Amino acid sequence: MGIETNYLLLIAIIYLVGCNPHEPRPRWNVTVNQKYRSGEIIKTDSSIMEYGKYRNFNMFYEITKNDDTLTFISSSTITESIEKNINTNGFQMNLALRSIRDSTYLHTPFGMKKIIKIYTETAGISDATATTYFLSSGRPILYSWDSWARYFTYSHTKQDQAIIEAIEKDTTGFFHLRKPPLPVPPGNE
């Protein structure tokens, strides 16, 4: 084979490799309801939920209309306490991430559904705590912060909506609906 033939063969291989379509990522068009802890809907919007590589990690993430992204710790992640002490220029910072995994079965019109809950808290950076509720497939369906008076639901089907309603109505403590604080009585301000 001559140099020209090798060169043409190399170009053909590069072209064929470049033409291979990437494997499609699992994708769901979801309705996002932002709710107060009382359950009242503040805002309804739509987003795309995807699963795939995000910053070199396989995880679920939400893409909003503004192209913002929100990532979720995976329901397949082993949950444990992780603590790292970082010393930078004599300043020591404790980066602690503690995740607790729990699951339950909830009765819905579509039968019993397993829901996985991962509660994650950080220490040393902020007092932020987040809880994500996952379907048994691993897709997030409800996301909340304990420090906020709001939470977010992600529904793709009527079955998702029924599961969200079952989570919200749960009385076992698996999902906590915190009522907003009562207003300060006049004269006590």
Side-chain angles (χ1 to χ4, degrees), residues 73-173:
I73 189 168
S74 171
S75 68
S76 62
T77 302
I78 297 171
T79 54
E80 57 187 23
S81 296
I82 302 167
E83 231 176 286
K84 291 182 180 175
N85 289 311
I86 295 177
N87 197 335
T88 308
N89 297 329
F91 176 74
Q92 182 147 337
M93 185 170 26
N94 180 301
L95 302 176
L97 176 67
R98 181 171 176 256
S99 293
I100 300 166
R101 182 186 173 115
D102 192 9
S103 65
T104 192
Y105 286 88
L106 298 173
H107 181 70
T108 74
F110 298 91
M112 296 297 281
K113 298 294 176 187
K114 182 178 182 179
I115 303 299
I116 300 162
K117 167 182 164 181
I118 296 182
Y119 174 86
T120 305
E121 61 185 10
T122 58
I125 304 171
S126 69
D127 293 330
T129 56
T131 305
T132 310
Y133 297 82
F134 299 89
L135 300 172
S136 57
S137 67
R139 181 168 60 86
I141 196 161
L142 195 149
Y143 186 64
S144 69
W145 292 273
D146 287 353
S147 55
W148 284 32
R150 299 181 300 213
Y151 64 96
F152 300 83
T153 63
Y154 302 93
S155 59
H156 179 64
T157 62
K158 289 186 180 188
Q159 186 171 353
D160 290 351
Q161 292 168 359
I163 292 169
I164 290 167
E165 287 174 16
I167 293 171
E168 292 171 334
K169 291 177 183 174
D170 178 65
T171 58
T172 65

Side-chain angles (χ1 to χ4, degrees), residues 42-53:
I42 305 167
K43 182 181 172 187
T44 298
D45 213 338
S46 61
S47 288
I48 296 168
M49 184 77 68
E50 279 193 357
Y51 180 80
K53 285 278 187 199

Side-chain angles (χ1 to χ4, degrees), residues 49-67:
M49 184 77 68
E50 279 193 357
Y51 180 80
K53 285 278 187 199
Y54 182 83
R55 296 186 179 170
N56 292 325
F57 293 99
N58 275 324
M59 58 175 42
F60 284 93
Y61 53 95
E62 174 198 356
I63 305 169
T64 68
K65 286 183 178 179
N66 301 328
D67 284 334

Side-chain angles (χ1 to χ4, degrees), residues 171-182:
T171 58
T172 65
F174 189 72
F175 179 70
H176 298 285
L177 280 177
R178 293 186 182 164
K179 295 181 180 175
L182 295 172

